[in-house]
Amino acid sequence: RKLFSTGTTMPLSTQSQREDEQYVLIANLDNARNLSNILKAITCKDHAIFTATANGLKVTVEDCKCMQANAFIQADIFQEFTLKEDSVIFQINLTVLLDCLNIFGGSSVGGSTALRMCYRGYGHPLTLFLEEGGVVTVCKINTHEPEEPIDFEFSSSNVTNKVILQSESLKEAFSELDMTSEVLQITMSPNQPYFRLSTFGNSGNAHYDYSKDSDMMELFQCNKTQTNR
């Protein structure tokens, strides 16, 4: 549920210290669109788990307990990041949150929406104060008991192969794949073909090879040949 109240009022920076004392988490951003763009990148399901620590804000989205997307917004990115507990965790409807962040419109020219995000603690809603052009809108979004996320943390000592690629180059590579193939096969090897994407579609089998020295490779550490689908 989201509740709106709109009107011309004082800027967010004039909120009293007494009001701030009731919150366990306060996070301010000069431009709400910066947060909105990050969250859009991981919006594969409606609900997300928010975890706040002294290092910043981690947002986790899971799909069918088999895929996990994480976004981490460092504390330094916020103009103010106040946390009164070691950690704060809650679950929230991500679609509703994005609607609120873009309540003034996501493409306003020459202006930006200031955001003040406040959370009072377990059982309380997440409160958003959004200001643009002297108008402040208050949104309150219900929070829920967070589900236990899947532990995708891999021990570094058990990692056999590790490849880091430029996302734009990988996106271009994916655009060339035969989409009639039911699977994508990924091969990593210390020897040729090094990094191979394979499809098995209506027009036959296709292999797309990329050298370990190609421009798209940021890191290539392979100890043995490994193939996964």
Side-chain angles (χ1 to χ4, degrees):
R1 181 187 300 172
K2 51 183 176 180
L3 308 176
F4 303 107
S5 62
T6 307
T8 303
T9 182
M10 293 184 292
L12 301 185
S13 58
T14 62
Q15 278 197 298
S16 70
Q17 184 177 357
R18 183 176 180 181
E19 288 176 312
D20 287 351
E21 288 176 353
Q22 63 186 330
Y23 299 117
V24 297
L25 171 66
I26 299 174
N28 289 2
L29 274 175
D30 288 342
N31 192 345
R33 197 174 306 145
N34 294 337
L35 177 60
S36 176
N37 289 339
I38 293 173
L39 296 181
K40 284 178 183 176
I42 63 167
T43 306
C44 55
K45 298 292 286 186
D46 285 340
H47 289 84
I49 299 172
F50 279 65
T51 305
T53 65
N55 295 323
L57 190 63
K58 181 182 179 182
V59 186
T60 302
V61 180
E62 291 186 345
D63 186 6
C64 299
K65 295 294 183 181
C66 65
M67 183 184 76
Q68 186 181 94
N70 290 284
F72 184 69
I73 305 98
Q74 293 181 337
D76 293 343
I77 293 177
F78 295 94
Q79 279 65 58
E80 177 189 352
F81 190 83
T82 302
L83 184 65
K84 296 181 180 178
E85 299 178 358
D86 291 338
S87 65
V88 169
I89 182 170
F90 56 86
Q91 185 168 300
I92 199 169
N93 190 304
L94 191 55
T95 305
V96 172
L97 175 59
L98 285 169
D99 286 344
C100 293
L101 292 176
N102 293 287
I103 196 168
F104 286 108
S107 59
S108 58
V109 179
S112 60
T113 302
L115 168 67
R116 185 176 182 83
M117 188 164 53
C118 304
Y119 180 58
R120 194 177 293 187
Y122 182 83
H124 291 278
L126 180 69
T127 303
L128 309 179
F129 300 90
L130 297 127
E131 178 192 11
E132 185 171 321
V135 176
V136 175
T137 293
V138 181
C139 304
K140 294 185 177 182
I141 310 172
N142 287 343
T143 58
H144 308 279
E145 180 82 29
E147 299 177 1
E148 186 68 28
I150 304 172
D151 183 10
F152 276 106
E153 295 296 328
F154 300 108
S155 172
S156 58
S157 61
N158 294 330
V159 174
T160 304
N161 297 324
K162 183 176 182 179
V163 177
I164 299 177
L165 309 98
Q166 292 186 4
S167 58
E168 190 63 32
S169 298
L170 187 61
K171 181 181 177 182
E172 292 177 5
F174 279 4
S175 68
E176 298 176 2
L177 299 179
D178 181 359
M179 299 309 293
T180 64
S181 177
E182 292 185 358
V183 298
L184 171 63
Q185 181 173 287
I186 301 174
T187 301
M188 292 180 283
S189 174
N191 306 306
Q192 287 185 333
Y194 300 114
F195 186 80
R196 168 177 284 184
L197 302 176
S198 303
T199 55
F200 312 91
N202 296 338
S203 57
N205 301 344
H207 304 291
Y208 308 83
D209 295 344
Y210 303 90
S211 170
K212 63 179 181 179
D213 300 319
S214 70
D215 293 338
M216 71 185 292
M217 295 290 178
E218 292 288 337
L219 177 71
F220 187 88
Q221 294 178 347
C222 287
N223 297 313
K224 70 177 184 178
T225 301
Q226 198 171 39
T227 300
N228 300 94
R229 287 189 174 190

